[in-house]
Structures are given as C-alpha cells and as structure tokens.
Amino acid sequence: MLHIQYVPQRIHVPPSLPRPEIQLDRWQYRLTAAPHPGGRRCGAYWLSVGEGLSIAEVVDRNGLPCGMLLGFPIDLRAACLIRGLWHLPHGCGVRTDDAIHTTLRALGGRFVWIAPHPSGTRIYPDAAAQVTCVWDAAGKEAGSTAGAILEQSDYQKRFRARLFDELGIRREGWFPAGLTAHHGVQRLLPNHYLDLTTWTAHRFAATTPSNPKPNEVIDGISDIVRLQAKALLTDEKAVAAALTAGRDSRAILACLRDMAQDLTFVTVTGGDRHQVDSIIASRLTDAFDLSHQTLPRKTADETAQARFIRRGGHCYADSNTRFHPSIAPLADDYVFIGGLGGEIARAFYWTKDDLPSLEVTPALLMKRFGLRPSPTVEDALSDWLDSLPPMDDARDILDLAYVELRLGPWAMAQFCTDPTLQRYSPMISYDAVRLLLDLQHDWKVDDRLNEAIVQRLWPELNDHPYNTLGPWRDRWIKAQRVLENPSLIAKKLRQRFG
C-alpha cells in the first residue's frame, strides 16, 4: 500500500470546449462541474491539481471506488503514508455517515477527501482543515484558494479590499467564520463538509464528546503523535522537528523519545522570541545529545512576500510572509513536524473568570480574537453560533471557536502560501482534537497538559525552563518585538477592552 502508484485516468476533452486547460501553482487544486482539458474525472466533477499535490484513490474492501484523497494523508492504523491507492480499513466506508466518520478517524496527516456519499459528492477536510478548501457556489467550483478557482480578472474585481484592511490581515488578522478575501468565495471550516449538490457547507460531528481522565488524554495524544511520526520515518525524506522554548515542541519531543535519534531538530535563530528559542534549544540539544540544525532567520523580498500572500488567496499576511525563506534549506531533503494543535488544550479564548453561563456573542468573539468590530464578520459569526449543537458550557464554545474560527482559517490558510516544505502537525487528527477539546477545564486554564506529557514520558526535559531567559532579558526581548510590530499592542488592547 505504501508504494503503489496510481494516477486517475485523464479523460480526453475535445479542444473545442470553451473551458481552457487550467494552470495551477504547486499544491493547488480545482474541482469544477464543467470538463476541461487535462482534468481527471471525479464522479460528476473534473479535477485539476498543481505539481506536488498527492492524489490517492480510495477503494473499499471489494475494490469499489470511494473517492480521492488530496494532500499528504497518513493511515494511522498502519502507521504509513498513503500513496496512490488506499484500501479502506474495516468499518470504514462512504455508505453511511457513521462509516465516513470512522474513515476520518483512521486518517492523520493533512488532506481533503472527495467522497461519493449516497446523497451526492462531498468534500471532507481533516480535523483542522489543513489542506484548504474554498468554493464559489455561483460558479460551482471548489479548490484550494480563491486564486485557484477565479480567473485573474475576477480575482481582482471580487477582492474585498475594505474588509482586508478592517481585519488587519497584514497585522496578524484573518478571515473567520467561512469568510475569505473575495466576494462569493467561502472557506470550508473544520468539522464541516461541502455538499457539491447544493454547494453548501454543513456541520458534522466526527466523534461523540466524552469526559476522558487526564491520563487518558496524555496516552491518546502521545500514541497519535508517535504513529504519525513513525509513518513519516518510513518515507524517503528525513524528518525534521521544531525545537523551541515552547511547550508544544517539548511535548512532541517527549512523545518521540524512542525516535529522537532518528530525527533532526531545527530552530530558527534571530531577534525577539527567536533569541529565547535559540538559547533554550541549544541547552536541550547539548543535554540530550540531539541532532540539531539552526536556521538563521531570513526576510523575503517584496516580490516573494507578494507571491506568498497571493498564493494564499490574500487570507494570510503576517510574520511568516516575511520570514518564510528561513526554512528553505529543509525543503529538498526533509519533511517537517511542528507543534500546532497543542494550544487547543490551553483555554485559548477564555479565562479563569469565565463562567459556564457566559453569553457568547459575535461581539464577544471579535473581542477575544483581538479583531476590530465588523458588521460583515459579526453576521457570519452569528450564523456560526446558530449552527452549533446544544452546548451547556460557554467555555466549550470558545474552545470550538479556536479550532473552527482560528486554527483552520488562520494557521492552515497558509497551506499553499509556501508550497515547498511538507509540514505536519502530529497533535492533530480527529481523535486527537477530540481529546484536546474534552480535557477537563482546570487543566486547560492552568495549561497543564504539555508539561504533564513531558513529566510522564521524559521528565528530565522539564528541568529546562519554558519560554524564558529570566525576567530582565524577557522584558527586553518583548520590548524589541513590540518595536518591530507595534500592532501587537493594539491587538492586546482590543482583546482586553474591546
């Protein structure tokens, strides 16, 4: 299964058809209702993909087609990468919603699944929508970004310049609640599927909420991290893992203790927060004899920054826009493991003072996000709130808001912006996200999970500090960061005072 190479048959389309062949950048894809030269037939639709984006055909145990996986998926049960052809494990399928949810839980990595559901073709994302999907209902087209599905003239005409500025996209802002930078183009959020019959998105619940004990969360998360890393180690490329002064990378290091000698740990060096990362990472690598590379922070020129923003559909434009060339030395020989996902278990948008009865409104969400008030966004947030299942505790709504309204449309909106180094977040899968969301509240607000993972699996790592070089040096580094990016002050004020 690991190395079977299968390419869906290219269907010949007469050149007289009005649709020209679609040209796509790396890792981009486009699914249309109209045939076009070079497209691959996908049920009633036609699929084009850019260079480097993997396509795997999905078949059931009888060899019957069950759609396609796009991206970089992992079979968690077999702990291997999915390439070319994937036979569904027992209990998985497309005939019922339960079978689809079982299939999603069997997958790690980053992907979208074009699935032939009995009621019509659907697109399902992974647990954090790590392979982006946007769509234009009027044009009946879906793809990775607005740039993949809109012609250049439409891209410019439909650009929402005012909303782009209001949300401060160049200053750590983003488009929540399914919005994008273009009129009529919507984003598929985590925990939603796109129905290609009606061209509408619908919420689904891949697992039932539970009340796991902290030890069960620790065991579950560490198992999923190890399975995904094990799969990556079977590939031709070496595996590089982030090593910073933070808690998430330290927890992943602890989970991968038995594999640590097979990994290369990487730290970006430079000013502000990177000073802390560099020094703490150096101490860790010396203490535990880790293979370590430092990558000097490099700044992209204006042309590269403009290309980065355009590749993401103008939905992301903050610090990685400037510094993405820093990881270029890894792209040819490595895949990369990062710590995204761990913050789900940190009460990201709530505090110790929040009560279960807190009224969560669009205005409150905007304040917690640190975004300026916007009627357009608040209307979309109102729709998102209306879509929620019954939830007794407002803090659970705020945690779900982090996953669906920030992690997906902010962090993962970068998928196509720098289509060079394959990046994986092994703390993310459907079961992992469920465990992180269901962690008991006192653990979340006290930020206890990652240090507990380290204490269980590699306690000596906790002998080194997290995110600090001492109070005086920390204040100086923080001041440097603010001087470099003054918009951080305004964002913090909006989060505190609205």
Side-chain angles (χ1 to χ4, degrees):
M1 177 169 59
L2 184 58
H3 293 296
I4 294 175
Q5 294 298 316
Y6 172 89
V7 178
Q9 182 181 3
R10 288 183 179 271
I11 307 298
H12 174 70
V13 180
S16 59
L17 285 175
R19 165 80 66 182
E21 185 167 1
I22 293 172
Q23 302 295 323
L24 294 170
D25 208 339
R26 283 181 58 83
W27 295 7
Q28 302 268 7
Y29 68 91
R30 184 174 184 173
L31 192 70
T32 73
H36 51 267
R40 296 175 171 91
R41 189 69 180 264
C42 185
Y45 301 92
W46 299 78
L47 175 69
S48 290
V49 298
E51 181 185 358
L53 187 69
S54 171
I55 303 177
E57 182 191 21
V58 182
V59 297
D60 67 14
R61 296 166 68 85
N62 298 315
L64 297 176
C66 293
M68 296 179 187
L69 286 167
L70 307 183
F72 310 111
I74 291 172
D75 183 329
L76 292 175
R77 301 183 189 188
C80 70
L81 301 172
I82 295 172
R83 297 277 178 78
L85 182 69
W86 186 49
H87 288 90
L88 290 174
H90 178 72
C92 299
V94 294
R95 293 184 179 275
T96 66
D97 289 341
D98 285 345
I100 284 176
H101 300 163
T102 302
T103 304
L104 293 170
R105 293 177 62 194
L107 291 164
R110 54 196 313 169
F111 63 88
V112 290
W113 178 25
I114 305 172
H117 189 272
S119 67
T121 304
R122 297 176 175 180
I123 298 179
Y124 285 87
D126 62 51
Q130 297 174 91
V131 173
T132 51
C133 177
V134 302
W135 76 95
D136 175 13
K140 296 186 177 180
E141 302 208 356
S144 48
T145 67
I149 65 174
L150 298 179
E151 303 305 327
Q152 178 61 27
S153 58
D154 278 346
Y155 190 94
Q156 295 172 342
K157 289 177 185 176
R158 293 165 68 171
F159 179 60
R160 309 175 84 161
R162 181 176 178 180
L163 190 58
F164 182 90
D165 291 337
E166 283 180 354
L167 292 175
I169 302 303
R170 293 184 184 275
R171 302 181 305 277
E172 310 219 5
W174 74 99
F175 292 92
L179 297 170
T180 72
H182 291 82
H183 291 284
V185 177
Q186 297 173 267
R187 180 178 300 280
L188 187 61
L189 300 175
N191 298 323
H192 293 71
Y193 68 83
L194 175 60
D195 183 333
L196 294 180
T197 301
T198 62
W199 292 91
T200 54
H202 302 271
R203 173 180 295 282
F204 70 94
T207 57
T208 302
S210 60
N211 294 297
K213 297 178 181 178
N215 283 342
E216 293 173 328
V217 177
I218 292 171
D219 291 341
I221 294 298
S222 59
D223 286 347
I224 291 167
V225 169
R226 282 193 288 263
L227 285 171
Q228 301 211 57
K230 182 179 178 181
L232 296 175
L233 285 168
T234 66
D235 200 20
E236 293 83 0
K237 290 190 174 185
V239 179
L243 188 60
T244 69
R247 288 172 169 78
D248 297 327
S249 69
R250 194 87 57 94
I252 287 176
L253 173 57
C255 291
L256 303 182
R257 180 175 187 173
D258 295 341
M259 309 177 199
Q261 298 308 311
D262 298 321
L263 306 173
T264 297
F265 293 89
V266 176
T267 307
V268 174
T269 62
D272 57 64
R273 70 183 187 280
H274 293 302
Q275 297 179 47
V276 185
D277 290 341
S278 302
I279 293 171
I280 299 299
S282 179
R283 293 175 184 174
L284 290 168
T285 55
D286 289 345
F288 302 104
D289 192 27
L290 304 175
S291 174
H292 187 227
Q293 285 190 30
T294 57
L295 300 176
R297 189 172 72 183
K298 296 181 180 179
T299 302
D301 61 27
E302 291 186 5
T303 299
Q305 291 188 39
R307 181 172 60 244
F308 183 100
I309 296 170
R310 178 65 166 73
R311 281 173 165 170
H314 279 79
C315 289
Y316 179 95
D318 61 19
S319 60
N320 284 345
T321 308
R322 290 177 289 153
F323 301 134
H324 69 273
S326 306
I327 53 85
L330 300 177
D332 291 338
D333 301 316
Y334 291 90
V335 296
F336 182 78
I337 286 176
L340 269 175
E343 65 279 7
I344 296 170
R346 285 209 282 275
F348 200 87
Y349 283 135
W350 53 279
T351 70
K352 289 182 178 180
D353 296 328
D354 286 338
L355 299 174
S357 59
L358 175 73
E359 183 182 6
V360 180
T361 64
L364 176 74
L365 289 172
M366 292 293 280
K367 178 180 177 181
R368 298 292 170 97
F369 295 165
L371 298 177
R372 294 185 179 90
S374 165
T376 299
V377 179
E378 291 186 24
D379 285 347
L381 290 172
S382 180
D383 291 340
W384 179 82
L385 287 167
D386 290 343
S387 79
L388 294 176
M391 302 177 75
D392 296 328
D393 194 319
R395 297 169 296 183
D396 295 334
I397 297 175
L398 294 173
D399 283 341
L400 195 61
Y402 176 77
V403 173
E404 296 187 8
L405 303 181
R406 179 176 169 110
L407 183 61
W410 177 72
M412 303 311 174
Q414 301 177 64
F415 175 66
C416 291
T417 54
D418 178 27
T420 55
L421 177 67
Q422 290 183 27
R423 301 163 175 87
Y424 294 84
S425 300
M427 281 193 174
I428 293 175
S429 74
Y430 273 99
D431 282 351
V433 170
R434 186 73 263 166
L435 286 168
L436 294 170
L437 287 172
D438 289 348
L439 183 66
Q440 61 191 51
H441 289 138
D442 59 328
W443 274 59
K444 288 182 181 179
V445 80
D446 292 333
D447 194 7
R448 293 161 61 182
L449 179 62
N450 282 332
E451 288 186 52
I453 290 174
V454 173
Q455 193 62 36
R456 168 82 72 82
L457 302 176
W458 201 344
E460 294 82 4
L461 295 175
N462 272 335
D463 293 340
H464 296 265
Y466 291 92
N467 293 318
T468 182
L469 295 175
W472 292 106
R473 290 189 71 178
D474 289 351
R475 289 190 186 101
W476 172 243
I477 290 170
K478 187 175 182 180
Q480 287 179 300
R481 188 182 181 205
V482 169
L483 288 171
E484 184 178 294
N485 189 0
S487 64
L488 292 174
I489 296 177
K491 183 176 180 179
K492 292 294 184 184
L493 290 173
R494 285 194 295 272
Q495 287 175 319
R496 184 169 183 181
F497 302 110

